[in-house]
Each structure stands twice: as C-alpha cells, then as structure tokens.
Amino acid sequence: MYQERLFTPGPVEIPDRVREVLGRQIIHHRTEEFRQVFLEVRELIKRLLEDPSDNLVLFSSSGTGAMESAVLNFFEEGQKVLVVNGGKFGERWLLLAKHWKLNVIEYSVEWGKSADPERIRDLLKEHPDCMGVLLQISETSTGSYHPVEEIAQICKESDALLVADAITALGVYHIRPSVIGIDVLVGGSQKAFMLPPGLSLLWFSQKAQDRLKDRAFYFSVKRELSKQKEGQTAWTPAISLVLGLRESLHLLLEEGMDRVEKRYRAISEGTRRAIRKLGLEVFPERPSISLTAVKTQDAERIRKELLKHRIRVAGGQDHLKGKIFRISHMGVSDKDGLMLIGVLEVVLKRLGYSVQLGSAVAEYSQALMESGLW
Ligand SMILES: *Cc1c(COP(=O)(O)O)cnc(C)c1O
C-alpha cells in the first residue's frame, strides 16, 4: 500500500532533502561542529527575515512554546494587551495572556472574517495604555489572513508592541518584520518550514528589546539569546531538527522568498478557482495563501472519501467541525495541488455531485499558467 499523502496544515510533508538529513546519526551539541551549524542557521534566518539584528532565538517546543515565550518575555502581569481573536489560534493568544494574568481586551472577529485595522485603531485610542496587540497573520483554523501590514502602521503610532503569530505565514509569505513593523514574530517547524514538530522561533524588534523581561525559565529569551549568539543553547536543543532547519532554510532561500510566495499564491488561487468550479464555497472572506478552507455541509463525508484515496485533509475545529474542510498548500508542490483537485472531482462525483471530470483541474491549470509559473 502506498503512503498516505498529507494536505493538512501541520504537520506537512517533509522534502526529501530535509528527510535525508533527519535520518543521519545524531551529533553531539556541545561540539564545534554543532556550533557552526547553529550559527549558520542563525545567519540563514537573518537572511530569510532580511534583518541583520541578533534578536532571534530558537526553542525546542511546538509553536505554542514560542507564543508563551512572547507573552512572558515582553509583558508583565496586569499589563493591558489587545488580542485579535478570530479562530482557534486567536483564542490561544487569549488563553495564554489570561493565564499569565495580563489585562486582556478581546477583539472578537467572527470566524472566517479578517481583523479590521480601523477597529484596532479605535480600540488603541480607547485604551492608550495598551502595551501589545496579539494576532495571527494566517489564522489556520479558518484559513483567514489578517492584514498585518495595515495593523502594523497603526501599532507604530502607539506604545503597543505588535506580536504576530506567523506559524503558517513565515516560509510562505515573504515577511520582513522590521520593514512591516512587527515587534515580535513567532514561527514553528511543522508547518511552513516543512520539518517535524519540535522547534519554534522568536524574533523581536528594537522596540520590543527595550521591554525585555525576565519572567520565564525554560522560555527565557534573555538566557537563550546570550547563549545562542555564541552558537550554543541553554538546554539540550532539538539537534536533528536544527540540522533539518538548515536544509529547509536553504531550500527556501535557494528558491527565493519572492518566488516561494508567488508559488503559494498560484497554488491557492488555482485551488480556490477549482473549488468554486465544483460548486463549493471558499470559507474565509480574505483567504490566506497557506491553506484553503472549504465550506460545505458535506465536509466530513468529503474528508473521509479523500482518506479512501489515501489523501488526508483537515476538518474544522470547534463549531466549524463538519462545516468546513481545510486543504494545506504548505510543503505541497504545484503538481501535487493539481493531483488533489483531480481526486476531489472524482470524490464529489461519487457523492452524487454533478461534476464534469476535468473541469476543476482545468481551472487550476489555467490559474497556474496565468501566474507565469507554468
Ligand atoms: C499550528 C499553529 C500554532 C501552534 O501550534 P502547535 O501545535 O503548538 O505547534 C500556532 N498558531 C498557528 C496559527 C498555528 O497554525
């Protein structure tokens, strides 16, 4: 039996070049060899973010670890923050901030909608003592994109640090945090970086540096930064994943982030056109290019039929369970995207939809040709 294919927004499939590295014998982390790798990884991340500053740490954790680190290292108990809550991961910011006793103002965004920058401007005016705005760039639970560039312009005029969860955005979008005006940027390994779970990343601006606290132990930015600048980590790092990250960063940088973003734009555009051709609805108002959430009352039936073809997509979470399914584009090639649409046509036809086989595939191919990639 051939292997199941993952079109899930985490974990995503791992490129062969990265898998080859992950399969090697482990090396010791207190060695010159590891130190050189670690320093190279830091340089590659600086190139990825197009920011020469040293304000960058890796943690051995899933993405949520770096989110918790952001809350603990840049804010104090009782400080006011604004949380954009437009899905499962916005809700995670909310829970984290409340857990560490920040004074949380919730900006609740209907799931599937995107944050309105003007609303954030008003809320910051209403709360001039607000010290942070916490959001997702790509809200993976709904497939929505929050307009981070416009929100950053607004935060720049206030005391608030803009804290952006870019776990399904960094490695897909060409994100230059210091150009956009992001203050704390969080990334994770098992999504756009196409690695197994277990590594997270945190980058911060000068404005954030001036507010650095020392409230965390394992997730201490200060402690890690002083070590990591020298190519070491405070605790045992996820050695194999760091080696894998070097490879995946090389993959992204060899292609170039402009071209990577263009590729994801084309795949997501092709997928959305195909979905509409099949009579299904794209769920988010303003879709992220990392994944496509599809709204249909047959979401679970379609997901299960795809599994019979050994294709795994994700369902909806919480109140979206059974109402949407989600197709990840992360780690998926443009050709594999076409394959998925072809199988989806067959699945829908079997479920009784009136489908002209090849019609959605044609939409996808058309979009890729128009993009200039094909
Ligand atoms: C996956 C994800 C996370 C982190 O989840 P972990 O399970 O801790 O890796 C956070 N934010 C977004 C937007 C995500 O997609």
Side-chain angles (χ1 to χ4, degrees), residues 9-10 61-65 67 89-90 92 136-141 165-169 186 188-191 197-199 330:
S61 74
S62 81
T64 309
M67 291 173 77
F89 294 103
R92 189 162 305 173
Q136 272 60 45
I137 297 179
S138 162
E139 171 52 79
T140 321
S141 63
D165 165 359
I167 292 174
T168 52
V186 169
S189 58
Q190 80 273 27
K191 313 222 175 139
L199 261 191
M330 293 174 286

Side-chain angles (χ1 to χ4, degrees), residues 93-322:
W93 274 137
L94 193 76
L95 295 172
L96 260 168
K98 285 186 172 166
H99 180 88
W100 292 108
K101 300 193 169 56
L102 307 190
N103 180 0
V104 180
I105 312 155
E106 179 182 358
Y107 168 24
S108 176
V109 177
E110 191 187 329
W111 288 33
K113 300 274 191 285
S114 294
D116 174 6
E118 287 315 309
R119 181 81 190 112
I120 292 177
R121 188 192 301 279
D122 291 345
L123 283 164
L124 287 178
K125 271 202 192 117
E126 220 177 287
H127 301 276
D129 54 339
C130 184
M131 299 307 279
V133 173
L134 281 55
L135 52 67
Q136 272 60 45
I137 297 179
S138 162
E139 171 52 79
T140 321
S141 63
T142 64
S144 298
Y145 179 82
H146 291 309
V148 66
E149 292 87 355
E150 288 156 80
I151 296 168
Q153 289 309 314
I154 294 163
C155 290
K156 268 184 195 168
E157 297 159 14
S158 79
D159 281 338
L161 297 178
L162 177 58
V163 181
D165 165 359
I167 292 174
T168 52
L170 185 57
V172 171
Y173 291 91
H174 188 174
I175 295 177
R176 281 155 288 197
S178 48
V179 175
I180 298 173
I182 293 169
D183 293 301
V184 182
L185 185 78
V186 169
S189 58
Q190 80 273 27
K191 313 222 175 139
F193 285 119
M194 303 168 290
L195 289 165
L199 261 191
S200 65
L201 176 156
L202 188 151
W203 172 95
F204 56 99
S205 68
Q206 183 64 48
K207 181 174 167 187
Q209 187 182 338
D210 297 337
R211 311 233 186 125
L212 206 46
K213 314 276 185 282
D214 213 356
R215 299 211 296 143
F217 185 76
Y218 186 82
F219 289 113
S220 166
V221 168
K222 268 190 190 163
R223 181 186 281 120
E224 284 297 345
L225 193 59
S226 66
K227 290 277 186 184
Q228 294 192 14
K229 274 196 238 174
E230 307 303 324
Q232 278 297 332
T233 53
W235 323 112
T236 310
I239 301 168
S240 309
L241 296 183
V242 172
L243 281 128
L245 179 58
R246 172 170 64 172
E247 211 54 37
S248 92
L249 288 166
H250 273 301
L251 280 174
L252 291 171
L253 290 167
E254 279 165 22
E255 185 175 355
M257 278 315 295
D258 277 338
R259 153 85 203 209
V260 169
E261 178 171 330
K262 186 175 171 186
R263 174 164 55 79
Y264 280 114
R265 276 195 191 285
I267 297 172
S268 61
E269 169 70 14
T271 303
R272 290 191 298 269
R273 277 169 64 169
I275 289 298
R276 293 189 183 111
K277 186 74 186 176
L278 292 167
L280 303 174
E281 199 183 320
V282 173
F283 176 63
E285 180 178 53
R286 184 171 177 178
S288 160
I289 62 173
S290 313
L291 74 156
T292 298
V294 183
K295 185 179 168 196
T296 158
Q297 78 255 26
D298 286 335
E300 276 309 284
R301 284 173 74 201
I302 294 169
R303 194 180 68 79
K304 285 182 181 142
E305 280 301 312
L306 283 169
L307 268 178
K308 291 184 189 159
H309 295 268
R310 313 230 6 106
I311 289 177
R312 183 176 291 275
V313 296
Q317 295 161 289
D318 292 355
H319 66 271
L320 289 180
K321 203 169 168 57

